[in-house]
Amino acid sequence: MPLPALTPASIVIGATAVDWRDAVRISGAALTAVGSAKPGYALEMIRMIENHGPYVVIAPGLALAHARPGPEVLADGLAIVTLKNPVPFGHPHNDPVRVVLALAITSIEGHLESIAELANIFNDEKTIPALAAAVDADAVLAIMTALA
Amino acid sequence: MKIVAICGAGIGSSGILKVNAERVLHKLGIEAEVTAADIASVRLAASDAQIILTSAEFVDAIGATNADVIVVVNYFDQQELSDKLLAALG
């Protein structure tokens, strides 16, 4: 599958999150807003981090929140949340998080194609700071589409 | 050579490690089969692997293994991956 399309509704700029759970919850709400996931998916993403630790902070300032495919996922989807104030996830090197990517996929089969597109975008070290500084959804869309 | 990328769900982060490890190995001219798996299936997935790529959080859960366990900090830093893979491969 190609990388799920971002829409302005799946992008939240300058969100205020009190902690990492709140940040993940906001990203889950964005997936719900675009019809990609049921509200319970946010809890599943939070549970992944509770169970396995803050490994989802895969690069400085960036969390890739996700859970497994399942009944809470309605369609492949991607959401991006930038945080007004960075929040720590407890990661020893990559905290604090300024950008949360939330990914929902319906099936593991074929998802590596979209993951490869994410790698294309984020292997450019300028991407995360540029997203964190984006002033509106259009700016985020421009960054994400220019590099994919 | 077999390399396994391990994360919590076996999707997402381990997928990024797989994709970027393949790119780095290609640049280095090293032939390897790279797969992604979740921590629950690490015993099976990594039983014949030479290298396991993962995050610090999973090192304890991976436990005793004959594979070299490489802890990756920045999944998008191909230089870090390249340096650590080369060090592990001696």
Side-chain angles (χ1 to χ4, degrees):
Chain A
M1 73 183 213
L3 192 63
L6 279 169
T7 66
S10 58
I11 299 169
V12 182
I13 301 293
T16 303
V18 296
D19 57 18
W20 70 262
R21 283 184 178 80
D22 204 20
V24 174
R25 213 173 284 129
I26 294 165
S27 73
L31 288 174
T32 300
V34 294
S36 170
K38 296 180 191 172
Y41 189 68
L43 285 175
E44 290 191 352
M45 294 194 290
I46 289 170
R47 212 168 293 132
M48 286 295 297
I49 301 170
E50 287 173 344
N51 290 345
H52 297 295
Y55 77 98
V56 297
V57 188
I58 56 173
L62 179 82
L64 173 61
H66 63 286
R68 289 188 179 83
E72 295 296 319
V73 178
L74 301 171
D76 294 329
L78 181 69
I80 295 186
V81 176
T82 69
L83 300 173
K84 184 163 181 282
N85 301 306
V87 298
F89 274 57
H91 192 282
H93 300 285
N94 294 334
D95 268 347
V97 169
R98 294 189 288 165
V99 179
V100 180
L101 284 184
L103 181 67
I105 60 168
T106 54
S107 158
I108 288 184
E109 302 302 319
H111 91 286
L112 282 169
E113 190 188 329
S114 59
I115 290 296
E117 277 188 54
L118 274 185
N120 291 346
I121 296 167
F122 285 93
N123 282 355
D124 184 332
E125 62 187 351
K126 296 188 289 296
T127 298
I128 297 168
L131 287 175
V135 293
D136 55 27
D138 284 344
V140 168
L141 286 171
I143 294 162
M144 297 293 287
T145 50
L147 293 167
Chain B
M1 179 170 51
K2 194 174 163 194
I3 297 176
V4 180
I6 294 289
C7 78
I11 61 166
S13 19
S14 60
I16 287 169
L17 272 184
K18 168 182 154 68
V19 166
N20 273 341
E22 283 172 345
R23 291 176 183 181
V24 165
L25 290 162
H26 181 74
K27 275 184 212 160
L28 295 172
I30 297 168
E31 273 197 36
E33 179 200 352
V34 189
T35 55
D38 67 352
I39 185 67
S41 55
V42 64
R43 296 252 167 266
L44 189 64
S47 60
D48 58 345
Q50 273 118 305
I51 291 175
I52 297 173
L53 296 168
T54 193
S55 286
E57 287 82 0
F58 297 112
V59 171
D60 286 349
I62 288 167
T65 170
N66 291 325
D68 280 316
V69 178
I70 298 180
V71 172
V72 181
V73 173
N74 183 345
Y75 283 36
F76 296 113
D77 184 346
Q78 298 201 35
Q79 191 61 50
E80 179 191 344
L81 263 177
S82 181
D83 291 348
K84 289 181 174 175
L85 281 167
L86 281 176
L89 294 169

